[in-house]
């Protein structure tokens, strides 16, 4: 919200300096983001009138002007501006004047000059030369009422200051100069100039029929007809100036009037060309298949979730957001319909962003606009139309005001004792009553309890804490005592069976991975190709066209990080990420941290590519492979044992990927990126290995349990078992563990032998030898050869019976 200080002080003028006023607003919750002078420092520039302008004898683009600057004699000025002509009033930099500093930071001093042989005693100025705007198309033309010789800073009020407020969404009542003035009056106790809206007597009985079909969209709709206006009238300079200082450029008189009242009182309105409306206006929700060409030139497709104003033939306006091009006023317009309405914030919220634009009207309506003064603001607009666009034939219609669903404010109770406790300092009931009176909040008082009925312009007062906030910000945050907290601080002990995400990050980093943080919205192609998701959640307003959907997997983000590093000639990449993914799930209900129908689980994903280890002289380079990353995962979960089972995934090589399970429950996937995607995503070098796991499973850990040292000595036996190539390692280990009994302490595979095709061995072409080391121990007695041989024989028999294994000769 940007506005000039002088406009604010017309409504409320407290005895405070500009800096003090800015500090007061900031400390009350309306942060002043910037204070900026309207114009930079300069002096010696006055209002002047061009008396005559003749062609320069030696230059086609220069004119020799005779200028009245209020002195005894006209001044001769040579000027190259295309609009230099007799009869206009413009700024004149007299000899000795200093213009605003240029790019070098030094002011430009005016002296007597000679251009193509003709002397010039000063310089006529454009708005750009005075640093008032970027317009350099010609001289800055001043109003005809400007006094010749008057200092230009005084004439244009250039010593004014522009306030830029950074308002939070709950401060919709501060989106107008009057709204800010109302707050200043409450904070300082200075008188507030109450707005007056003298009614304009109707001279015409005509009314435009209006039908409201959607009271959940529009709570109040007011309007009137005005006929016989001059739409080509020029907007007064004072209005243009104020609009520009609010950051709004002047368009036409009618548009400027509507914008001016919006900045003045926070009331967006719309002016239709009456002759282009067919039959009646209908306020309703849109319909699928309808479309509307807006004032900004865009054509949008409508549906049942967008409010519209339509006539008997077509849709004419997006309710509370932007008008349509068909009924826009133009230079040929003579009759208009002025509309001001109350649109429910929920009905406007987010609608503009669906179509990738935002408007001042939508910004205000989605925060809440006072529904009580639609008629008064139309009276204000009507009066300005009469004063600026009036003609002898102008006629004003009767007011039409419909109120199908005006919001009813619910009373809010404030307990004075609780207010004092929350604020942290003594607050009396008299203090609270005084604050509410200054804010214009009606209330009823009982012993220790105040019941406040929020006024029509305050949409943010809904619970007791809202009223407590009003009390302390009006009393002043600096009045809070500087006292240390007395309440005991008790740390929340985390369960030892669950590690923190920071500990997990450090553990992954210790495995030589670097953490990366990526956007949660990704390219739709990644989801389709790397996650197999054909219907991801799409963004209504993506920050960039490619980043259009919410990710369901971390793999696409990690592959993009690899591509980014390869483009910068990285030779070894090991990265990981902790982040959310977003999936459709009808079982999810709305909650404090949940959105209905959307699951948002946390995942941990990683990628390794390039050499397995840093380059060093003592070993040869070896590309990272599946078993390196598998070992990393086993180390992260130790002492818990992960199991890996061959599985397929859209992003991974079908023969080199596995499902990761913990305690029999699948928790993720690990494997080598599919060669198809390595080629499609232009990944050079070896194959990257990626993994993605549920974060909850990764945070769970087994607490260590102390065990006594064994009193007996363990015995080891090695077995070389010949099995078919299709027998997996896990099946062999399961068969051994099933019959090993209490004596078997561990079984580990330490060698795999597959003979060459030309070698002569007792192994068939489809067989391989798996060497397993068994560790046997009995805590109670020393093992004898007979017990050891019996246990080994039982294991060999079980492997033979279940897997067809045999001892290698």
């Amino acid at each position: 919200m940007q506005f000039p200080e002088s406009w604010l002080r017309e409504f409320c003028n407290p005895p405070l300096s500009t800096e003090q006023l800015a500090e007061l607003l900031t400390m009350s919750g309306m942060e002043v983001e910037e204070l900026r002078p309207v114009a930079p420092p300069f002096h010696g520039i006055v209002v002047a009138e061009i008396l005559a302008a003749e062609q320069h004898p030696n230059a086609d683009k220069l004119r020799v002007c005779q200028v009245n600057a209020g002195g005894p004699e006209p001044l001769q000025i040579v000027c190259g501006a295309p609009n230099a002509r007799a009869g206009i009033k413009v700024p004149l930099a007299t000899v000795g004047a200093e213009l605003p500093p240029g790019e070098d930071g030094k002011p430009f001093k005016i002296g007597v000059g000679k251009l193509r042989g003709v002397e010039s005693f000063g310089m006529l100025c454009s708005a750009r030369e005075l640093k008032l705007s970027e317009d350099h198309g010609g001289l800055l033309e001043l109003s005809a009422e400007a006094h010749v010789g008057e200092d230009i800073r005084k004439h244009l009020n250039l010593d004014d200051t522009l306030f830029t407020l950074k308002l939070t969404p709950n401060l919709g009542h501060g989106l107008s100069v009057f709204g800010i003035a109302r707050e200043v009056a409450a904070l300082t106790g200075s008188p507030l100039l109450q707005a007056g809206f003298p009614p304009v007597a109707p001279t015409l009985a005509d009314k435009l029929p209006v039908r409201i079909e959607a009271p959940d969209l529009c709570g109040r709709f007011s309007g009137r007809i005005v006929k016989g206006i001059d739409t080509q009238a020029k907007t007064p300079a004072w209005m243009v100036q104020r609009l520009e200082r609010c950051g709004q450029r002047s368009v036409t008189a009618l548009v400027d009037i509507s914008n001016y009242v919006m900045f003045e009182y926070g009331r967006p309105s719309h002016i239709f060309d009456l002759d282009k409306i067919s039959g009646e206006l209908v306020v309703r929700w849109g319909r699928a298949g309808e479309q509307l060409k807006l004032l900004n030139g865009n054509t949008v497709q409508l549906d049942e979730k967008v409010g519209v104003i339509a006539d008997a033939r077509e849709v004419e306006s997006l309710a509370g957001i932007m008008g349509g091009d068909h009924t826009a006023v133009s230079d040929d317009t003579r009759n208009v319909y002025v509309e001001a309405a109350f649109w429910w914030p929920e009905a406007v919220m987010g609608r503009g962003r669906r179509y990738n634009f935002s408007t001042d009207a939508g910004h205000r309506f989605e925060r809440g606009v006072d529904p009580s003064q639609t008629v008064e603001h139309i009276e204000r607009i009507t009066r300005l139309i009469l004063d600026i666009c009036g003609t002898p034939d102008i006629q004003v219609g009767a007011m039409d005001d419909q109120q199908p669903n005006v919001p009813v404010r619910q009373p809010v109770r404030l307990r004075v004792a609780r207010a004092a406790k929350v604020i942290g300092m003594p607050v009396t009931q008299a203090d609270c009553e005084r604050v509410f009176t200054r804010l214009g909040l009606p209330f009823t008082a009982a012993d220790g309890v105040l019941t406040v009925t929020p006024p029509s312009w305050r949409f943010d007062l809904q619970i007791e804490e809202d009223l407590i906030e009003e009390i302390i910000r009006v009393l002043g945050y600096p009045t809070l005592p500087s006292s240390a907290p007395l309440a005991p601080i008790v740390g929340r002990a985390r369960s030892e069976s669950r590690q923190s995400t920071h500990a997990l990050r450090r553990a992954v980093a210790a495995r030589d991975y670097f953490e990366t943080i990526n956007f949660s919205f990704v390219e739709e192609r990644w989801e389709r190709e790397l996650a197999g998701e054909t219907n991801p959640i799409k963004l209504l307003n993506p920050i960039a066209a490619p980043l259009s959907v919410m990710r369901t997997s971390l793999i696409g983000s990690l592959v993009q990080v690899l591509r980014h590093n390869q483009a910068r000639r990285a030779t070894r990449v090991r990265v990981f990420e902790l982040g959310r993914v977003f999936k459709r799930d009808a079982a999810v209900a709305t909650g404090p941290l949940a959105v209905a129908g959307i699951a948002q689980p946390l995942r941990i994903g990683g990628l390794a590519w390039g050499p397995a280890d840093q380059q060093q002289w003592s070993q040869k380079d070896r590309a990272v492979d599946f078993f390196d990353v598998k070992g990393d995962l086993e180390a992260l979960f130790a002492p818990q044992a992960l199991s890996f089972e061959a599985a397929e995934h859209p992003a991974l090589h079908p023969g080199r990927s596995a499902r990761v399970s913990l305690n029999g429950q699948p928790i993720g996937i690990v494997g080598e990126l599919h060669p198809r995607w390595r080629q499609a995503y232009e990944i050079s070098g070896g194959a990257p290995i990626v993994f993605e796991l549920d974060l909850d499973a990764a945070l769970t850990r087994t607490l260590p349990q102390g065990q006594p040292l064994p009193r007996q000595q363990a015995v080891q036996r090695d077995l070389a078992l010949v099995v078919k190539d299709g027998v997996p390692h896990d099946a062999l280990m399961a068969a051994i563990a099933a019959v090993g009994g209490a004596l078997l302490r561990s079984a580990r595979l330490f060698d795999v032998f597959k003979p060459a095709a030309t070698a002569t061995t007792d192994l068939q072409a489809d067989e391989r030898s798996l060497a397993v080391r068994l560790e046997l121990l009995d805590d109670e007695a020393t093992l004898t050869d007979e017990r050891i041989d019996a246990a080994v024989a039982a294991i060999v028999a079980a492997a033979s019976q279940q897997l067809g294994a045999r001892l290698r000769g």
Side-chain angles (χ1 to χ4, degrees):
M1 174 63 187
Q2 178 179 303
F3 59 90
E5 180 183 3
S6 59
W7 198 0
L8 173 66
R9 289 187 181 272
E10 285 188 8
F11 287 110
C12 182
N13 188 14
L16 300 174
S17 66
T18 300
E19 291 72 20
Q20 290 173 329
L21 181 59
E23 177 69 12
L24 176 73
L25 288 171
T26 298
M27 293 306 296
S28 71
M30 295 186 170
E31 179 186 354
V32 178
E33 189 175 27
E34 182 185 18
L35 284 179
R36 179 166 54 90
V38 170
F42 59 80
H43 66 84
I45 302 175
V46 299
V47 176
E49 181 180 7
I50 300 179
L51 302 177
E54 299 178 354
Q55 188 66 42
H56 192 290
N58 302 319
D60 294 338
K61 295 185 178 181
L62 297 179
R63 294 190 178 189
V64 179
C65 302
Q66 300 300 317
V67 177
N68 176 18
E73 298 287 341
L75 299 176
Q76 179 174 282
I77 309 292
V78 178
C79 177
N83 64 333
R85 63 188 187 277
I88 63 172
K89 293 180 179 179
V90 294
L92 168 65
T94 58
V95 175
E98 285 189 356
L99 291 179
E103 295 182 357
D104 58 358
K106 298 179 181 179
F108 182 73
K109 192 170 184 178
I110 302 297
V112 178
K114 182 177 289 188
L115 282 79
R116 295 290 184 95
V118 178
E119 285 189 319
S120 180
F121 298 89
M123 186 178 84
L124 301 178
C125 302
S126 67
R128 186 177 186 181
E129 289 162 339
L130 298 180
K131 295 295 193 316
L132 300 182
S133 73
E134 292 301 314
D135 182 14
H136 60 284
L139 301 176
L140 174 60
E141 297 188 27
L142 306 175
S143 64
E145 293 77 18
H147 298 291
V148 173
E150 184 181 19
D151 190 303
I152 197 68
R153 298 194 72 90
K154 180 180 179 182
H155 173 69
L156 295 179
N157 193 19
L158 298 182
D159 292 323
D160 202 355
T161 303
L162 297 183
F163 279 60
T164 301
L165 270 58
K166 186 178 181 180
L167 299 177
T168 52
N170 64 313
L171 298 177
H173 58 281
L175 289 170
S176 67
V177 178
F178 181 77
I180 300 296
R182 184 164 47 202
E183 291 296 310
V184 172
L187 295 169
T188 63
S190 299
L192 174 68
L193 176 63
Q194 294 297 330
F197 304 101
V200 176
T203 58
L204 189 68
D206 294 359
K207 287 186 179 181
L208 179 67
V210 176
R211 180 160 42 91
I212 300 176
E213 294 183 352
D216 56 335
L217 165 66
C218 178
R220 184 175 183 180
F221 193 97
S222 305
R224 78 169 357 149
I225 292 171
V226 182
K227 292 186 175 182
I229 65 173
D230 178 14
T231 53
Q232 299 187 41
K234 188 175 181 181
T235 306
W238 60 267
M239 182 177 287
V240 172
Q241 182 188 94
R242 284 187 171 176
L243 288 173
E244 289 178 345
R245 293 180 184 181
C246 288
Q248 177 69 51
R249 66 181 182 87
S250 175
V251 183
T252 64
L254 283 177
V255 175
D256 292 346
I257 289 170
S258 178
N259 287 333
Y260 181 83
V261 174
M262 179 182 67
F263 286 112
E264 186 177 35
Y265 294 113
R267 166 72 57 194
S269 59
H270 188 63
I271 301 178
F272 296 84
D273 187 324
L274 179 65
D275 298 326
K276 296 177 182 177
I277 298 175
S278 299
E280 62 177 356
L281 289 182
V282 181
V283 179
R284 57 174 174 82
W285 292 103
R287 297 165 185 159
E290 291 182 326
Q291 63 181 21
L292 171 65
K293 184 177 181 182
L294 298 169
L295 289 173
N296 61 7
N298 295 344
T299 299
V300 296
Q301 302 297 321
L302 307 177
D303 57 27
E304 298 83 355
K305 296 182 180 180
V306 180
V308 300
I309 302 176
D311 61 15
R313 183 174 52 189
E314 60 185 332
V315 176
E316 301 295 356
S317 175
L318 274 184
I321 300 174
M322 184 180 289
D325 179 72
H326 176 256
T327 54
V329 295
S330 64
D331 290 346
D332 298 327
T333 300
R334 291 295 174 266
N335 308 313
V336 297
Y337 181 75
V338 183
E339 166 263 313
F342 168 71
W343 307 100
W344 284 95
E346 298 81 4
V348 179
M349 199 174 298
R351 269 56 174 191
R353 289 186 289 276
R354 290 184 58 184
Y355 302 112
N356 299 324
F357 67 84
S358 61
T359 63
D360 287 329
H363 183 75
R364 286 163 171 78
F365 278 123
E366 66 185 10
R367 284 158 173 76
V369 174
D370 185 1
S372 68
Q373 291 192 311
T374 56
V375 171
E376 288 81 355
H377 292 161
I378 288 182
E379 297 286 4
R380 171 66 168 157
I381 294 172
T382 305
R383 175 55 60 188
L384 290 172
I385 291 176
L386 291 174
D387 293 342
I388 298 172
C389 304
T391 66
D393 300 327
I394 195 167
Q395 293 179 297
V396 177
M399 186 71 68
D400 180 25
D401 182 31
Q402 301 184 44
Q403 304 182 38
N405 188 20
V406 176
V408 178
R409 296 285 185 252
Q410 297 300 320
V412 182
R413 295 176 69 252
L414 171 75
R415 294 164 290 175
V416 176
R418 173 164 172 75
K421 181 179 179 180
V422 172
I423 292 172
M425 70 178 190
V427 175
T428 66
Q429 183 165 333
D431 293 333
C432 299
E433 292 179 1
R434 186 166 58 253
V435 168
F436 294 156
T437 300
R438 288 167 61 176
L439 288 171
L441 307 182
F443 64 89
T444 58
D447 187 17
V449 177
L450 299 178
T451 302
V452 176
T453 302
S456 57
W457 64 84
R458 294 298 298 267
F459 285 77
D460 58 321
L461 302 180
Q462 299 179 1
I463 59 177
E464 186 176 29
E465 284 71 14
D466 296 331
L467 297 178
I468 295 174
E469 181 185 6
E470 294 299 301
I471 292 170
I472 185 55
R473 76 181 188 90
V474 174
L475 293 179
Y477 292 110
T479 63
L480 287 171
S482 300
S483 57
L486 300 178
I489 300 176
V490 180
R492 294 182 58 187
R494 183 187 299 274
S495 171
E496 293 185 8
S497 63
R498 186 176 177 85
Q499 63 180 329
S500 69
T501 56
H502 296 292
L504 179 62
R505 285 185 170 97
R506 288 192 292 268
V508 181
R511 303 298 302 176
D512 205 18
Y513 288 80
F514 289 87
E515 184 175 9
T516 179
I517 301 175
N518 300 290
F519 284 130
S520 294
F521 23 90
V522 298
E523 294 188 32
E524 188 172 2
R525 173 193 177 192
W526 301 357
E527 289 300 303
R528 186 174 60 254
E529 297 177 347
L530 301 179
E533 180 60 61
T534 59
N535 186 29
I537 300 168
K538 295 186 178 182
L539 298 173
L540 293 177
N541 188 19
I543 62 172
L547 308 180
S548 59
V549 301
M550 303 299 292
R551 65 184 179 184
T552 62
S553 170
L554 303 181
I555 294 177
S557 301
L558 295 170
V559 169
Q560 179 61 23
V561 171
L562 173 60
R563 296 178 63 197
H564 181 84
N565 281 270
Q566 283 194 346
R568 286 149 183 81
R569 299 187 179 278
T571 58
R572 185 173 184 269
V573 176
R574 294 171 76 89
V575 293
F576 77 97
E577 180 182 4
L578 269 72
R580 292 192 182 277
V581 297
F582 304 84
K583 296 187 174 184
R584 300 183 188 276
D585 186 351
V588 177
T590 299
L593 299 177
V595 177
I598 300 177
Q600 306 177 51
L602 282 164
R603 299 282 181 82
I604 178 171
L607 179 147
W609 170 85
D613 297 300
Q614 296 285 356
Q615 191 175 32
Q616 55 174 303
W617 62 269
S618 64
Q619 65 182 23
K620 294 182 179 180
D621 284 347
R622 176 181 63 82
V624 67
D625 59 22
F626 174 91
F627 297 101
D628 292 313
V629 178
K630 175 176 177 286
D632 290 335
L633 296 182
E634 290 176 329
L636 289 176
F637 280 82
Q640 300 179 97
L642 295 177
S643 60
F644 298 83
E645 180 184 355
E648 293 188 1
H649 187 276
L652 305 181
H653 193 301
R656 300 178 184 178
S657 58
R659 181 184 302 109
V660 184
S661 299
L662 179 65
N663 300 325
Q665 297 296 322
I667 63 171
I669 197 83
V670 61
E672 181 181 303
L673 191 67
H674 199 292
R676 179 197 308 151
W677 307 134
R678 289 166 53 194
Q679 181 179 4
Y681 290 90
E682 300 177 347
I683 296 175
S684 59
I689 312 299
V690 297
F691 67 86
E692 184 177 10
L693 309 174
D694 290 334
L695 183 62
D696 283 343
L699 296 178
T700 304
R701 61 182 179 179
T702 302
L703 296 179
Q705 296 180 354
Q707 294 182 356
L709 293 173
R711 291 180 296 175
Q712 307 296 331
Q713 186 171 355
V715 175
Q716 292 182 346
R717 292 289 186 270
D718 292 346
L719 297 177
L721 298 173
V722 179
V723 297
K724 296 292 186 181
D725 287 341
V727 175
H729 162 267
D730 287 352
L732 178 61
M733 293 296 105
I736 293 173
V739 298
L743 294 184
L744 183 64
R745 189 182 183 100
S746 67
R748 296 181 183 277
L749 177 71
F750 68 89
D751 184 48
V752 178
F753 174 69
K754 179 74 175 176
T758 58
T760 302
T761 66
D762 60 341
L763 273 67
Q764 301 298 321
D766 61 345
E767 292 182 330
R768 58 179 175 168
S769 173
L770 303 179
V772 180
R773 177 161 294 163
L774 307 176
E775 185 179 9
L776 305 173
L777 176 66
D778 186 348
D779 287 333
E780 302 300 328
T782 302
L783 289 175
T784 62
D785 289 341
E786 290 79 7
R787 294 181 67 190
I788 296 171
D789 293 342
V792 172
I795 291 174
V796 172
S800 175
Q801 182 179 0
Q802 297 179 27
L803 305 175
R806 72 176 190 276
L807 281 174
R808 184 179 172 190

